Amino acid sequence: ARQLLAANFQGKDGIWFCGAWQGYGFHEDGCRSGFEVATQLSGVPLPWGDVTNKVLPPPDLAALTVKQGTLMPTLSSLYKKMTVDFPIAICKRMCLYFFQAAIKCGTLRLKMNDGTVISFGDGTSCGSDKSPVTLRVFDEWMFVKIAWEYDLGLARSYMAGHFIVEKLNDPTHYNNVLRPLHEADETTPVIG
């Protein structure tokens, strides 16, 4: 139905449709469809797009998979290195370089699975933010998603459970308008 609606009515009589329903129902799908409408209306591609692809489609990373049992063990190991380990190493290096260059005030900490903590920023207060922000990284594929899907990769990585944002030590450091102290959020433990 959504393809029929888009094909027959999108842009007709000044009516444009966008929303999460035009994809898989996630916030990112709504954002992408909004980008598509905005670029069609303005004729200007997004900064990371080009004239033919004003909004880049997400890469089909699933197409890269091959059944592990069909390869000999040596080739299987090489396959894993080329499709998992190598992209993670390259993209992680790119992301860490970007974080180092972009985060000047405040503090962003990345807690990795091996126990290492990587910090960025000078530790000073950044506007009303007094506490450092800590991301607990569960899956380093997060870096690949950020680098390859630079428009919504961080959001998709969060939705996939590759990382969480850890709770601040002092709840009074939260912006009281954005997160009132009496309301639960994704960092609030729930039992049951």
Short mmCIF file of all heavy atoms in Angstrom, two decimals, residues 93-142:
data_model
loop_
_atom_site.label_atom_id
_atom_site.label_comp_id
_atom_site.label_asym_id
_atom_site.label_seq_id
_atom_site.Cartn_x
_atom_site.Cartn_y
_atom_site.Cartn_z
N ARG A 93 38.97 3.26 14.03
CA ARG A 93 40.03 4.26 13.96
C ARG A 93 39.49 5.59 13.42
O ARG A 93 39.80 6.65 13.94
CB ARG A 93 41.17 3.75 13.09
CG ARG A 93 42.26 4.78 12.91
CD ARG A 93 43.46 4.18 12.31
NE ARG A 93 44.28 3.73 13.42
CZ ARG A 93 45.50 3.29 13.29
NH1 ARG A 93 46.05 3.18 12.11
NH2 ARG A 93 46.21 2.93 14.33
N MET A 94 38.65 5.52 12.39
CA MET A 94 38.06 6.74 11.82
C MET A 94 37.19 7.46 12.84
O MET A 94 37.27 8.68 13.00
CB MET A 94 37.22 6.41 10.58
CG MET A 94 38.03 6.03 9.37
SD MET A 94 37.04 5.40 7.98
CE MET A 94 35.66 6.49 7.94
N CYS A 95 36.34 6.72 13.55
CA CYS A 95 35.44 7.32 14.54
C CYS A 95 36.21 7.94 15.69
O CYS A 95 35.91 9.05 16.13
CB CYS A 95 34.44 6.29 15.05
SG CYS A 95 33.20 5.81 13.84
N LEU A 96 37.21 7.22 16.20
CA LEU A 96 38.00 7.75 17.32
C LEU A 96 38.75 9.01 16.90
O LEU A 96 38.83 9.98 17.67
CB LEU A 96 38.96 6.68 17.84
CG LEU A 96 38.31 5.43 18.44
CD1 LEU A 96 39.39 4.47 18.97
CD2 LEU A 96 37.31 5.76 19.52
N TYR A 97 39.25 9.04 15.68
CA TYR A 97 39.91 10.24 15.18
C TYR A 97 38.92 11.40 15.10
O TYR A 97 39.21 12.52 15.51
CB TYR A 97 40.52 9.97 13.79
CG TYR A 97 41.13 11.20 13.17
CD1 TYR A 97 42.40 11.64 13.55
CD2 TYR A 97 40.44 11.92 12.20
CE1 TYR A 97 42.95 12.78 13.00
CE2 TYR A 97 40.99 13.06 11.64
CZ TYR A 97 42.24 13.49 12.04
OH TYR A 97 42.78 14.61 11.48
N PHE A 98 37.72 11.12 14.60
CA PHE A 98 36.70 12.16 14.52
C PHE A 98 36.32 12.67 15.91
O PHE A 98 36.22 13.88 16.13
CB PHE A 98 35.46 11.64 13.79
CG PHE A 98 34.32 12.61 13.83
CD1 PHE A 98 34.31 13.72 13.01
CD2 PHE A 98 33.26 12.43 14.71
CE1 PHE A 98 33.26 14.63 13.05
CE2 PHE A 98 32.22 13.33 14.77
CZ PHE A 98 32.22 14.43 13.93
N PHE A 99 36.07 11.75 16.87
CA PHE A 99 35.72 12.17 18.23
C PHE A 99 36.81 13.06 18.83
O PHE A 99 36.53 14.07 19.47
CB PHE A 99 35.48 10.96 19.14
CG PHE A 99 34.28 10.12 18.78
CD1 PHE A 99 34.24 8.79 19.13
CD2 PHE A 99 33.21 10.65 18.08
CE1 PHE A 99 33.16 8.00 18.80
CE2 PHE A 99 32.11 9.87 17.75
CZ PHE A 99 32.08 8.53 18.12
N GLN A 100 38.07 12.66 18.63
CA GLN A 100 39.20 13.42 19.17
C GLN A 100 39.22 14.84 18.59
O GLN A 100 39.47 15.80 19.29
CB GLN A 100 40.52 12.71 18.86
CG GLN A 100 41.72 13.32 19.53
CD GLN A 100 41.69 13.12 21.04
OE1 GLN A 100 41.34 12.06 21.53
NE2 GLN A 100 42.03 14.14 21.79
N ALA A 101 38.94 14.95 17.30
CA ALA A 101 38.98 16.26 16.64
C ALA A 101 37.74 17.09 16.94
O ALA A 101 37.82 18.32 17.02
CB ALA A 101 39.14 16.07 15.13
N ALA A 102 36.59 16.46 17.12
CA ALA A 102 35.33 17.19 17.24
C ALA A 102 34.94 17.56 18.66
O ALA A 102 34.31 18.60 18.88
CB ALA A 102 34.21 16.38 16.61
N ILE A 103 35.31 16.75 19.64
CA ILE A 103 34.87 16.99 21.02
C ILE A 103 35.95 17.79 21.74
O ILE A 103 36.99 17.25 22.10
CB ILE A 103 34.56 15.66 21.75
CG1 ILE A 103 33.46 14.93 20.99
CG2 ILE A 103 34.16 15.93 23.19
CD1 ILE A 103 33.21 13.52 21.47
N LYS A 104 35.68 19.06 21.93
CA LYS A 104 36.67 19.96 22.55
C LYS A 104 36.36 20.23 24.02
O LYS A 104 37.27 20.29 24.83
CB LYS A 104 36.74 21.29 21.79
CG LYS A 104 37.19 21.12 20.34
CD LYS A 104 38.57 20.54 20.28
CE LYS A 104 39.03 20.39 18.85
NZ LYS A 104 40.22 19.60 18.73
N CYS A 105 35.10 20.47 24.37
CA CYS A 105 34.77 20.71 25.77
C CYS A 105 33.86 19.59 26.26
O CYS A 105 33.31 18.83 25.47
CB CYS A 105 34.12 22.09 25.95
SG CYS A 105 32.50 22.24 25.21
N GLY A 106 33.73 19.49 27.57
CA GLY A 106 32.96 18.39 28.14
C GLY A 106 33.77 17.10 28.09
O GLY A 106 34.97 17.12 27.82
N THR A 107 33.12 15.99 28.35
CA THR A 107 33.80 14.70 28.31
C THR A 107 32.87 13.64 27.76
O THR A 107 31.72 13.53 28.17
CB THR A 107 34.24 14.26 29.73
OG1 THR A 107 35.08 15.25 30.28
CG2 THR A 107 34.99 12.94 29.69
N LEU A 108 33.36 12.88 26.80
CA LEU A 108 32.69 11.69 26.30
C LEU A 108 33.61 10.52 26.60
O LEU A 108 34.79 10.55 26.25
CB LEU A 108 32.43 11.77 24.79
CG LEU A 108 31.91 10.48 24.15
CD1 LEU A 108 30.51 10.14 24.65
CD2 LEU A 108 31.94 10.56 22.65
N ARG A 109 33.06 9.51 27.27
CA ARG A 109 33.83 8.30 27.58
C ARG A 109 33.21 7.12 26.84
O ARG A 109 32.00 6.97 26.83
CB ARG A 109 33.80 8.00 29.07
CG ARG A 109 34.67 8.89 29.89
CD ARG A 109 34.78 8.34 31.30
NE ARG A 109 34.72 9.46 32.20
CZ ARG A 109 34.03 9.51 33.32
NH1 ARG A 109 33.32 8.49 33.71
NH2 ARG A 109 34.03 10.58 34.07
N LEU A 110 34.07 6.30 26.26
CA LEU A 110 33.62 5.05 25.66
C LEU A 110 34.17 3.91 26.50
O LEU A 110 35.39 3.76 26.62
CB LEU A 110 34.14 4.92 24.22
CG LEU A 110 33.72 5.98 23.22
CD1 LEU A 110 34.37 5.70 21.88
CD2 LEU A 110 32.23 6.06 23.10
N LYS A 111 33.30 3.13 27.12
CA LYS A 111 33.71 1.95 27.89
C LYS A 111 33.60 0.75 26.97
O LYS A 111 32.51 0.39 26.53
CB LYS A 111 32.82 1.74 29.11
CG LYS A 111 33.11 2.62 30.27
CD LYS A 111 32.29 2.16 31.46
CE LYS A 111 32.52 3.02 32.66
NZ LYS A 111 31.66 2.61 33.79
N MET A 112 34.74 0.14 26.67
CA MET A 112 34.78 -0.99 25.74
C MET A 112 34.62 -2.30 26.51
O MET A 112 34.81 -2.35 27.72
CB MET A 112 36.09 -0.97 24.96
CG MET A 112 36.41 0.36 24.29
SD MET A 112 35.11 1.02 23.27
CE MET A 112 35.26 -0.05 21.88
N ASN A 113 34.32 -3.37 25.79
CA ASN A 113 34.11 -4.69 26.41
C ASN A 113 35.36 -5.24 27.08
O ASN A 113 35.27 -6.01 28.03
CB ASN A 113 33.61 -5.69 25.38
CG ASN A 113 32.10 -5.70 25.29
OD1 ASN A 113 31.42 -5.28 26.22
ND2 ASN A 113 31.59 -6.15 24.18
N ASP A 114 36.54 -4.87 26.57
CA ASP A 114 37.77 -5.39 27.17
C ASP A 114 38.19 -4.62 28.42
O ASP A 114 39.24 -4.88 29.00
CB ASP A 114 38.91 -5.38 26.14
CG ASP A 114 39.27 -3.98 25.66
OD1 ASP A 114 38.66 -3.00 26.12
OD2 ASP A 114 40.17 -3.89 24.79
N GLY A 115 37.35 -3.66 28.86
CA GLY A 115 37.63 -2.91 30.08
C GLY A 115 38.32 -1.58 29.85
O GLY A 115 38.44 -0.79 30.79
N THR A 116 38.78 -1.31 28.65
CA THR A 116 39.43 -0.03 28.39
C THR A 116 38.39 1.08 28.33
O THR A 116 37.24 0.86 27.95
CB THR A 116 40.23 -0.04 27.07
OG1 THR A 116 39.33 -0.33 26.00
CG2 THR A 116 41.34 -1.06 27.10
N VAL A 117 38.82 2.26 28.73
CA VAL A 117 37.98 3.45 28.68
C VAL A 117 38.72 4.48 27.84
O VAL A 117 39.87 4.81 28.12
CB VAL A 117 37.68 4.01 30.09
CG1 VAL A 117 36.88 5.30 30.00
CG2 VAL A 117 36.96 2.98 30.94
N ILE A 118 38.06 4.97 26.80
CA ILE A 118 38.65 5.97 25.92
C ILE A 118 37.89 7.27 26.17
O ILE A 118 36.67 7.30 26.08
CB ILE A 118 38.54 5.55 24.44
CG1 ILE A 118 39.13 4.15 24.25
CG2 ILE A 118 39.21 6.56 23.54
CD1 ILE A 118 38.80 3.54 22.91
N SER A 119 38.63 8.35 26.49
CA SER A 119 37.99 9.63 26.81
C SER A 119 38.32 10.68 25.77
O SER A 119 39.41 10.70 25.21
CB SER A 119 38.47 10.12 28.18
OG SER A 119 38.00 9.27 29.19
N PHE A 120 37.36 11.58 25.56
CA PHE A 120 37.51 12.69 24.64
C PHE A 120 37.04 13.95 25.33
O PHE A 120 36.16 13.92 26.18
CB PHE A 120 36.67 12.46 23.37
CG PHE A 120 36.94 11.15 22.71
CD1 PHE A 120 36.15 10.05 22.97
CD2 PHE A 120 38.02 11.01 21.85
CE1 PHE A 120 36.41 8.83 22.38
CE2 PHE A 120 38.29 9.80 21.25
CZ PHE A 120 37.48 8.71 21.52
N GLY A 121 37.60 15.10 24.95
CA GLY A 121 37.23 16.37 25.53
C GLY A 121 38.18 16.79 26.63
O GLY A 121 39.03 16.01 27.07
N ASP A 122 38.02 18.03 27.06
CA ASP A 122 38.93 18.57 28.07
C ASP A 122 38.39 18.47 29.50
O ASP A 122 39.05 18.89 30.44
CB ASP A 122 39.28 20.03 27.74
CG ASP A 122 38.07 20.95 27.74
OD1 ASP A 122 36.95 20.47 28.06
OD2 ASP A 122 38.23 22.14 27.42
N GLY A 123 37.18 17.96 29.68
CA GLY A 123 36.63 17.77 31.02
C GLY A 123 35.95 18.99 31.60
O GLY A 123 35.40 18.93 32.69
N THR A 124 35.97 20.11 30.89
CA THR A 124 35.31 21.31 31.40
C THR A 124 33.81 21.18 31.21
O THR A 124 33.32 20.37 30.44
CB THR A 124 35.81 22.58 30.67
OG1 THR A 124 35.48 22.46 29.29
CG2 THR A 124 37.29 22.77 30.86
N SER A 125 33.07 22.02 31.91
CA SER A 125 31.63 22.06 31.76
C SER A 125 31.29 22.57 30.37
O SER A 125 31.88 23.53 29.89
CB SER A 125 31.03 22.97 32.83
OG SER A 125 29.64 23.00 32.73
N CYS A 126 30.35 21.92 29.73
CA CYS A 126 29.97 22.28 28.37
C CYS A 126 28.54 22.83 28.41
O CYS A 126 27.58 22.07 28.40
CB CYS A 126 30.06 21.06 27.46
SG CYS A 126 29.93 21.43 25.73
N GLY A 127 28.41 24.13 28.53
CA GLY A 127 27.08 24.73 28.70
C GLY A 127 26.52 24.35 30.05
O GLY A 127 27.16 24.53 31.07
N SER A 128 25.32 23.78 30.06
CA SER A 128 24.72 23.37 31.33
C SER A 128 25.08 21.93 31.69
O SER A 128 24.73 21.46 32.76
CB SER A 128 23.19 23.50 31.25
OG SER A 128 22.69 22.62 30.27
N ASP A 129 25.81 21.24 30.81
CA ASP A 129 26.20 19.86 31.08
C ASP A 129 27.43 19.83 31.98
O ASP A 129 28.48 20.32 31.61
CB ASP A 129 26.52 19.12 29.77
CG ASP A 129 25.29 18.99 28.88
OD1 ASP A 129 24.19 18.96 29.44
OD2 ASP A 129 25.45 18.90 27.66
N LYS A 130 27.26 19.24 33.16
CA LYS A 130 28.35 19.20 34.12
C LYS A 130 29.02 17.83 34.19
O LYS A 130 30.18 17.73 34.53
CB LYS A 130 27.82 19.57 35.51
CG LYS A 130 27.21 20.94 35.58
CD LYS A 130 26.60 21.19 36.95
CE LYS A 130 25.92 22.52 36.99
NZ LYS A 130 24.49 22.47 36.92
N SER A 131 28.28 16.79 33.89
CA SER A 131 28.79 15.43 34.03
C SER A 131 29.30 14.88 32.71
O SER A 131 28.79 15.23 31.64
CB SER A 131 27.69 14.50 34.54
OG SER A 131 27.29 14.86 35.84
N PRO A 132 30.30 14.01 32.77
CA PRO A 132 30.74 13.35 31.54
C PRO A 132 29.66 12.39 31.04
O PRO A 132 28.90 11.84 31.82
CB PRO A 132 32.00 12.60 31.96
CG PRO A 132 31.92 12.49 33.44
CD PRO A 132 31.08 13.62 33.93
N VAL A 133 29.60 12.20 29.74
CA VAL A 133 28.68 11.25 29.14
C VAL A 133 29.47 9.98 28.86
O VAL A 133 30.56 10.03 28.28
CB VAL A 133 28.08 11.81 27.83
CG1 VAL A 133 27.24 10.76 27.12
CG2 VAL A 133 27.27 13.06 28.12
N THR A 134 28.93 8.85 29.28
CA THR A 134 29.61 7.57 29.10
C THR A 134 28.76 6.64 28.25
O THR A 134 27.60 6.39 28.56
CB THR A 134 29.89 6.91 30.46
OG1 THR A 134 30.64 7.80 31.28
CG2 THR A 134 30.66 5.61 30.28
N LEU A 135 29.36 6.17 27.16
CA LEU A 135 28.71 5.16 26.32
C LEU A 135 29.34 3.82 26.64
O LEU A 135 30.56 3.67 26.60
CB LEU A 135 28.92 5.46 24.83
CG LEU A 135 28.43 6.78 24.29
CD1 LEU A 135 28.64 6.84 22.78
CD2 LEU A 135 26.98 7.02 24.62
N ARG A 136 28.52 2.84 26.99
CA ARG A 136 28.99 1.48 27.24
C ARG A 136 28.83 0.71 25.95
O ARG A 136 27.71 0.45 25.50
CB ARG A 136 28.18 0.84 28.37
CG ARG A 136 28.51 -0.60 28.64
CD ARG A 136 29.88 -0.69 29.28
NE ARG A 136 30.15 -2.02 29.73
CZ ARG A 136 30.83 -2.92 29.01
NH1 ARG A 136 31.29 -2.63 27.84
NH2 ARG A 136 31.06 -4.11 29.51
N VAL A 137 29.94 0.40 25.29
CA VAL A 137 29.92 -0.25 23.97
C VAL A 137 29.90 -1.77 24.17
O VAL A 137 30.83 -2.33 24.74
CB VAL A 137 31.14 0.18 23.13
CG1 VAL A 137 31.13 -0.51 21.78
CG2 VAL A 137 31.16 1.69 22.96
N PHE A 138 28.84 -2.41 23.70
CA PHE A 138 28.72 -3.86 23.78
C PHE A 138 29.23 -4.54 22.52
O PHE A 138 29.70 -5.66 22.57
CB PHE A 138 27.26 -4.27 24.02
CG PHE A 138 26.70 -3.78 25.32
CD1 PHE A 138 25.71 -2.82 25.34
CD2 PHE A 138 27.18 -4.26 26.51
CE1 PHE A 138 25.20 -2.36 26.53
CE2 PHE A 138 26.67 -3.81 27.73
CZ PHE A 138 25.68 -2.84 27.73
N ASP A 139 29.08 -3.88 21.38
CA ASP A 139 29.45 -4.48 20.10
C ASP A 139 30.18 -3.41 19.29
O ASP A 139 29.62 -2.35 19.01
CB ASP A 139 28.19 -4.95 19.38
CG ASP A 139 28.49 -5.74 18.11
OD1 ASP A 139 29.63 -5.69 17.61
OD2 ASP A 139 27.56 -6.40 17.61
N GLU A 140 31.42 -3.69 18.91
CA GLU A 140 32.21 -2.71 18.18
C GLU A 140 31.73 -2.51 16.74
O GLU A 140 32.24 -1.65 16.04
CB GLU A 140 33.70 -3.08 18.22
CG GLU A 140 34.29 -2.90 19.59
CD GLU A 140 35.80 -3.04 19.62
OE1 GLU A 140 36.40 -3.47 18.62
OE2 GLU A 140 36.37 -2.70 20.66
N TRP A 141 30.74 -3.28 16.31
CA TRP A 141 30.13 -3.03 15.01
C TRP A 141 29.49 -1.64 14.99
O TRP A 141 29.20 -1.08 13.95
CB TRP A 141 29.12 -4.12 14.67
CG TRP A 141 28.72 -4.12 13.24
CD1 TRP A 141 27.54 -3.68 12.73
CD2 TRP A 141 29.50 -4.54 12.12
NE1 TRP A 141 27.54 -3.81 11.36
CE2 TRP A 141 28.73 -4.33 10.96
CE3 TRP A 141 30.79 -5.07 11.98
CZ2 TRP A 141 29.19 -4.63 9.69
CZ3 TRP A 141 31.25 -5.37 10.71
CH2 TRP A 141 30.46 -5.15 9.59
N MET A 142 29.28 -1.06 16.19
CA MET A 142 28.78 0.30 16.32
C MET A 142 29.60 1.26 15.46
O MET A 142 29.05 2.12 14.77
CB MET A 142 28.84 0.75 17.78
CG MET A 142 28.56 2.23 18.00
SD MET A 142 28.89 2.77 19.69
CE MET A 142 30.59 3.25 19.54
#
